[in-house]
Amino acid sequence: MKIALVGFGVVGQGLLEILRDKAAALKASGFEATVVAVATRSKGTLYNPQGLDIGQLLAAAGDFQQYPDTAGLEHGTDILSLIKTCNADVLVECSNTDLQTGQPAIDYCYAAFDSGKHVVLANKGPVAVAYRELVARAAQAGKQLRFEATVMAGTPSIRLAMQALQGCTIREARGILNGTTNYILTQMEGGMSYAEALAQAQQLGYAEADPAGDVEGWDAAGKVIILARALFNSSITFKDMDVKGITAITADDVREAAAAGEKWKLVARVTPDGGSVQPLRVKLSNPLAAVSGATNAITYSTDLMGDVTLVGAGAGRLQTGFGLLSDLLDINRGV
Ligand code: HSE
């Protein structure tokens, strides 16, 4: 499978580390990946139809000029035409999320479908803003649109709902859908300041490029919209939702909750009719109270299976990189 990677931050590098470190095991299971193109808006593009060296790419992540000048290598700046003309089978889109416009990543996805490529996204923007259009363009092209990594990193929240629970009617999804805020709240329970906990979450690669979206609830709200589109074909927008983050929660609030045997959690909820993101005080006996750090949880309420809950990593370099890999493996298997 030949891959064109757009976006080469924490997540893109995480995917390439996995492809480098697990190449032998993946090959033994029938998956062989070659990265032919890497592009970012700040560093430009690297393309070699024969394949780029993953180790050298990771070494040159900060400056593409550091990549060795090997035969067949092309440097450039025009991401759209690279996507259209390169020989990749799949576009992996993991550039920074813009939940308002989804751009320029939506155009990258269209260019990929129009030139016969599958699309795998960690970038939430295009899925939240243009889900229906992307599904239509993928169908028109006879290609796959995959976005497991957009909700709960590589924890298979999308696959659980859309594949494993297919045949059930899902009535509601609710849980903790943002790793950064759950990490901050957990660290505050241990006595750390809000600012220090946020700085750690950034350092650990959990937070978005602009962490305001995490702490103000918009990242979780974007995931609510993705779930609303994918599960319920709902047209809900940010304007239709109550969205509140954790910025108003103080160390005193956290201590007060602890004294009452409770914890603050940023809880997201989505139904066929709406969605919300709200900080709530939950009792220690509530299963969400045990979900700590950058771990997330989602409960699908269904007709046939009752509640089905999935708990796992919600953010992180390798965790989100794995989300992308899981989609690439599905495409490779023809799922
Ligand atoms: N910033 C996001 C989070 C990354 O903290 O959950 C995963 O979508």
Side-chain angles (χ1 to χ4, degrees):
M1 182 179 279
K2 292 194 281 300
I3 294 170
L5 187 70
V6 173
F8 199 36
V10 173
V11 173
Q13 290 174 41
L15 172 65
L16 292 208
E17 281 172 26
I18 298 171
L19 292 179
R20 179 194 61 193
D21 298 342
K22 293 199 164 243
L26 289 168
K27 190 173 174 184
S29 72
F31 178 77
E32 219 174 330
T34 307
V35 179
V36 293
V38 177
T40 84
R41 275 188 288 165
S42 58
K43 300 185 192 80
T45 66
L46 287 173
Y47 174 47
N48 190 332
Q50 304 302 315
L52 297 160
D53 181 276
I54 291 182
Q56 299 284 7
L57 278 175
L58 288 166
D63 175 8
F64 283 0
Q65 297 304 324
Q66 303 291 318
Y67 190 88
D69 195 12
T70 40
L73 181 72
E74 293 172 28
H75 280 269
T77 52
D78 185 347
I79 300 179
L80 257 187
S81 40
L82 176 67
I83 293 170
K84 284 181 200 151
T85 57
C86 75
N87 67 344
D89 304 303
V90 185
L91 167 68
V92 173
E93 220 301 335
C94 46
S95 58
N96 290 340
T97 290
D98 181 334
L99 286 172
Q100 297 301 316
T101 68
Q103 291 290 19
I106 293 174
D107 287 341
Y108 297 160
C109 295
Y110 291 162
F113 288 135
D114 292 349
S115 57
K117 298 170 180 72
H118 303 287
V119 173
V120 173
L121 292 135
N123 183 347
K124 288 157 274 220
V127 194
V129 173
Y131 181 77
R132 291 198 187 113
E133 294 82 347
L134 288 168
V135 168
R137 290 289 266 266
Q140 214 174 8
K143 295 290 160 185
Q144 298 262 334
L145 167 72
R146 291 294 181 128
F147 51 94
E148 183 64 74
T150 61
V151 180
M152 287 176 71
T155 304
S157 57
I158 301 292
R159 196 167 275 114
L160 173 60
M162 297 185 76
Q163 293 178 18
L165 291 176
Q166 198 184 7
C168 288
T169 300
I170 296 175
R171 297 184 171 127
E172 181 192 75
R174 65 185 175 280
I176 297 170
L177 297 184
N178 180 267
T180 300
T181 48
N182 205 53
Y183 182 84
I184 293 172
L185 292 170
T186 304
Q187 297 298 76
M188 285 173 77
E189 284 155 15
M192 191 180 282
S193 74
Y194 174 93
E196 198 184 337
L198 172 58
Q200 277 193 0
Q202 288 177 289
Q203 209 172 14
L204 289 163
Y206 302 149
E208 296 300 298
D210 177 0
D214 291 295
V215 296
E216 289 168 7
W218 298 110
D219 176 81
K223 291 164 181 166
V224 164
I225 290 186
I226 292 171
L227 290 169
R229 297 281 186 285
L231 305 185
F232 303 128
N233 194 25
S234 146
S235 305
I236 188 173
T237 67
F238 289 115
K239 286 193 218 88
D240 307 317
M241 266 195 271
D242 269 345
V243 178
K244 202 166 162 200
I246 63 161
T247 48
I249 296 179
T250 62
D252 281 346
D253 293 332
V254 171
R255 273 193 293 272
E256 249 175 55
E262 296 181 352
K263 287 186 180 190
W264 282 100
K265 292 290 172 193
L266 187 65
V267 179
R269 184 167 174 266
V270 54
T271 67
D273 305 316
S276 62
V277 177
Q278 296 290 324
L280 297 176
R281 262 171 72 159
V282 300
K283 298 214 172 303
L284 290 184
S285 56
N286 183 319
L288 289 185
V291 177
S292 58
T295 305
N296 284 185
I298 194 162
T299 298
Y300 293 110
S301 292
T302 75
D303 56 348
L304 303 179
M305 287 295 297
D307 282 359
V308 179
T309 298
L310 181 67
V311 179
R317 184 182 185 91
L318 294 178
Q319 295 85 344
T320 313
F322 171 70
L324 292 168
L325 175 67
S326 69
D327 282 341
L328 294 172
L329 291 172
D330 256 11
I331 291 172
N332 191 53
R333 278 195 299 263
V335 174

